[in-house]
Structure formats: C-alpha cells, structure tokens
Amino acid sequence: MNDDILLEPMKAYKTVYKQAVNDEACKFFDDLVEKSGIDVEANRQTIKELRKTEKQANEVNKKIRSLKTGKSFSIFGIVVGFIAFIVAIFLCFQPDTNLAIAIPVALAGIALAIGLIFLIVKNLNPKIKNQTAIYNKLVSKIKELSDLAYSQMSPLNALYDWNMATTI
C-alpha cells in the first residue's frame, strides 16, 4: 500500500485521503458548533422563514412591475388619444374634411384619453401603492430575519480564524 501512495498519488487521494479529510473537516466543524452553543434548528427555521419571505417579496415585486408596465401603456394610450383628438379637431376646421369621420375620431380619442386617465387614477395607482406598501413590509421583515439569522450564527462565526485550513 505504501508504494501505491507514492507511485499513484491520485489513487491514494481518491481511496484514502479524500474521505479522511472530509471526515476530519466535518468533525472539526461539529466541534465548533458544539463549542459555540448555537441552536442549529432555530437557525434552520429562521432561514426557512427568510427564504419564504424573500419568495413572497419577489412575487409582489413582479406584480408591481406588471402594474407599472400597464400604467406605462395607459400613459401611451392617453397620449395617442389626445393626439387623435387634436388632429381630428384640426381636420374639422379644414374645408374639404368629412365631418362624419373627424367627429367620431375626436370623440373616440378624447374618450380613450379620459378613460385611461380614470383607469390610472382609480385602479392602477391605488394597486401600485398597496403592493408597494406590502413589498416594503416584506423587505423590512427580510432585514429583521436576516439580522436574526446572523445574530444566531455570530457565536459560531466568532470561533473562525484564518488558520483553520491548516488546523483541519
């Protein structure tokens, strides 16, 4: 066996040393956890709740982005409606314009613009405000959970030093 270690170091690493290093590192880390006195299960629960809250925050953020996209398209529609209204009104005062087309286009343009303004003011803005408030609460909760998780692990983190790799 001793000749194999010298002649084939990769084989020796794979068959002997890899598992030995892994076992020693696990033992070393378990000793650190025991010395630190941290509650591993409490930290797991905190991290589980943190991940759940982060997922909820991401979902709410997606809703906010989609609402803001809808608001942007509505603003574009308002501009188009007002342009259609202005062009149609301008055409109404031209001598050779068909009023049967110009007046309905003007009415449709102004109706579109007013309807979209109403949609933004009464529907989209309150929803965006509500979702933003929910998102801000979730972000605050994420910060609290993150701080809690860090404080739960601080006794263990205090035991780490730069020479650990050589100790293991």
Side-chain angles (χ1 to χ4, degrees), residues 31-50:
D31 289 345
L32 283 178
V33 169
E34 191 175 311
K35 282 181 192 176
S36 69
I38 63 169
D39 187 352
V40 175
E41 274 308 308
N43 185 258
R44 283 186 181 139
Q45 286 302 107
T46 302
I47 295 300
K48 185 177 180 181
E49 188 176 348
L50 175 64

Side-chain angles (χ1 to χ4, degrees), residues 114-153:
I114 291 172
L116 290 175
I117 289 171
F118 185 77
L119 175 73
I120 289 173
V121 170
K122 294 293 184 180
N123 191 354
L124 294 177
N125 282 346
K127 283 183 180 180
I128 291 170
K129 185 177 180 182
N130 182 37
Q131 292 298 316
T132 302
I134 292 169
Y135 179 75
N136 289 337
K137 286 179 185 176
L138 289 170
V139 167
S140 175
K141 186 176 179 182
I142 288 169
K143 171 110 174 74
E144 290 172 15
L145 289 170
S146 181
D147 290 345
L148 175 61
Y150 186 77
S151 68
Q152 288 172 334
M153 295 301 291

